[in-house]
Amino acid sequence: MPEGNVIHNQARRLRTRFRGKQIAVDSPQGRFASDAERIDGRTLEKVEAHGKHLFMKFGDLWVHVHLGLFGKWRIGKGEAPEPRGQIRMRLRGADGYAELRGPTVCELLDEDSKKAAVARIGPDPIKKSDPTPAWERVERSSAPIGGLLMDQRVFAGVGNIYRAEVLFRHNISPYRPGKRVSRGEFDAIWDDLVLLMAQGTKKGRIDTVRPEHLPEIMGRRARKDRHGGEVYVYRRTGQPCHLCEAEVQMAEMGGRKLYWCPGCQPE
DNA sequence: GCCATATGGAAAG
DNA sequence: TTTCCCTATGGCA
């Protein structure tokens, strides 16, 4: 259940363990079996992350993986254990193994298709991309900024947690149309995403609460949530805002749950 | 055991 | 806008 920070972290781990080595590729579950055969035994030359997409180069073919909501990697040292459950793709090298479960996408692409797939992905804060294309989309869009942040063609790698939290940190209502976001606000959001997502990649969790607010929330923190980090509004529906005592709101936007504080982020 | 839920996105209508 | 896909997990009975 990953946002871009997780994907970049996994790319680094896969790179460390497998790059430059001969890899046995198979599909214990079977759904990737015929593709796996085509690259089985080849050398893994590159591992790239673009937003939430992962690409692995095996000669003239790329494996394209998108974890979606359910996908998971399990990466380990030494001999691979007996397959358990649904393993779509398995990599085994001299140094360890990796199991891929439940991805939305696991496919083979040739060089051109890979390039086209990358081209569809917007600027990625973790790669410190040039945000200009994102600004151009936001500036002339009447869609709500809360939706634009989740649009991977606009902001690559941003997911539901970063979307909610970055808008809170800048006191912007998720319902405000993109065209009503000023250049100054956009720049502040982008710079903040660069910082937050780099941190999230390094730490393996998403913390968005500013240090000066930490003492205030320690006293009344609800039970630890699964995502594990300290946040202002994500999944805190009905609880008091850490800063203004208004109740955190939740609504559906584009089929995903949106969280915000009506006090700190007025429309 | 059963049900709801999950950091996502494409396809169908 | 809704439906569907993919898998695991936590809360509950």
Side-chain angles (χ1 to χ4, degrees):
Chain A
M1 306 177 267
E3 303 195 21
N5 63 308
V6 174
I7 309 304
H8 282 266
N9 191 294
Q10 289 166 338
R12 188 181 52 72
R13 289 164 60 208
L14 291 166
R15 209 173 280 135
T16 307
R17 195 164 292 290
F18 298 116
R19 187 175 55 181
K21 300 191 163 67
Q22 257 197 332
I23 309 296
V25 184
D26 65 354
S27 174
Q29 172 205 53
R31 288 188 46 183
F32 188 64
S34 56
D35 286 326
E37 267 180 45
R38 298 177 63 190
I39 52 173
D40 183 32
R42 291 193 185 182
T43 298
L44 176 57
E45 296 165 37
K46 291 181 186 172
V47 181
E48 295 179 6
H50 300 267
K52 299 171 189 167
H53 297 257
L54 180 78
F55 299 89
M56 291 183 283
K57 185 176 199 296
F58 290 91
D60 61 341
L61 293 170
W62 291 83
V63 178
H64 173 212
V65 173
H66 193 296
L67 295 182
L69 197 47
F70 314 119
K72 274 185 172 50
W73 280 104
R74 176 177 167 200
I75 302 167
K77 286 193 277 205
E79 201 78 2
E82 275 306 296
R84 282 228 313 272
Q86 300 292 311
I87 304 177
R88 183 79 61 86
M89 178 174 68
R90 184 168 64 157
L91 309 178
R92 284 171 294 167
D95 234 15
Y97 66 92
E99 298 171 342
L100 173 65
R101 295 163 198 276
T104 290
V105 176
C106 177
E107 62 182 359
L108 275 188
L109 300 178
D110 62 24
E111 187 69 38
D112 287 347
S113 311
K114 182 265 184 182
K115 280 207 174 84
V118 171
R120 274 180 244 121
I121 304 168
D124 181 347
I126 296 180
K127 301 170 87 75
K128 296 183 170 34
S129 307
D130 174 5
T132 305
W135 166 245
E136 286 168 355
R137 293 287 296 268
V138 169
E139 183 188 26
R140 57 189 164 75
S141 175
S142 52
I145 185 64
L148 293 169
L149 277 163
M150 293 284 279
D151 185 336
Q152 299 300 297
R153 296 164 300 182
V154 184
F155 295 90
V158 176
N160 210 7
I161 304 178
Y162 283 120
R163 174 263 290 269
E165 295 296 309
V166 80
L167 288 173
F168 179 90
R169 281 166 62 97
H170 297 275
N171 302 102
I172 295 171
S173 163
Y175 291 101
R176 196 192 307 170
K179 58 171 70 157
R180 296 216 192 288
V181 173
S182 72
R183 181 66 206 242
E185 288 171 322
F186 172 87
D187 287 341
I189 287 174
W190 178 269
D191 292 346
D192 210 19
L193 286 172
V194 169
L195 277 176
L196 288 174
M197 294 177 78
Q199 244 179 57
T201 305
K202 200 164 179 180
K203 296 205 300 192
R205 50 183 268 166
I206 299 179
D207 290 297
T208 59
V209 173
R210 295 192 164 92
E212 65 265 33
H213 297 145
L214 274 175
E216 305 177 39
I217 75 168
M218 293 315 269
R220 57 174 162 187
R221 180 173 46 189
R223 62 181 163 67
K224 269 283 187 210
D225 213 333
R226 259 203 301 275
H227 63 87
E230 295 295 354
V231 295
Y232 288 108
V233 292
Y234 176 69
R235 274 175 61 119
R236 294 195 60 247
T237 314
Q239 299 176 50
C241 170
H242 290 319
L243 302 188
C244 84
E245 306 298 336
E247 265 188 19
V248 173
Q249 302 292 301
M250 189 273 283
E252 298 265 332
M253 180 186 275
R256 307 297 305 283
K257 287 183 174 168
L258 167 69
Y259 304 88
W260 80 100
C261 167
C264 296
Q265 303 164 266
E267 284 196 49

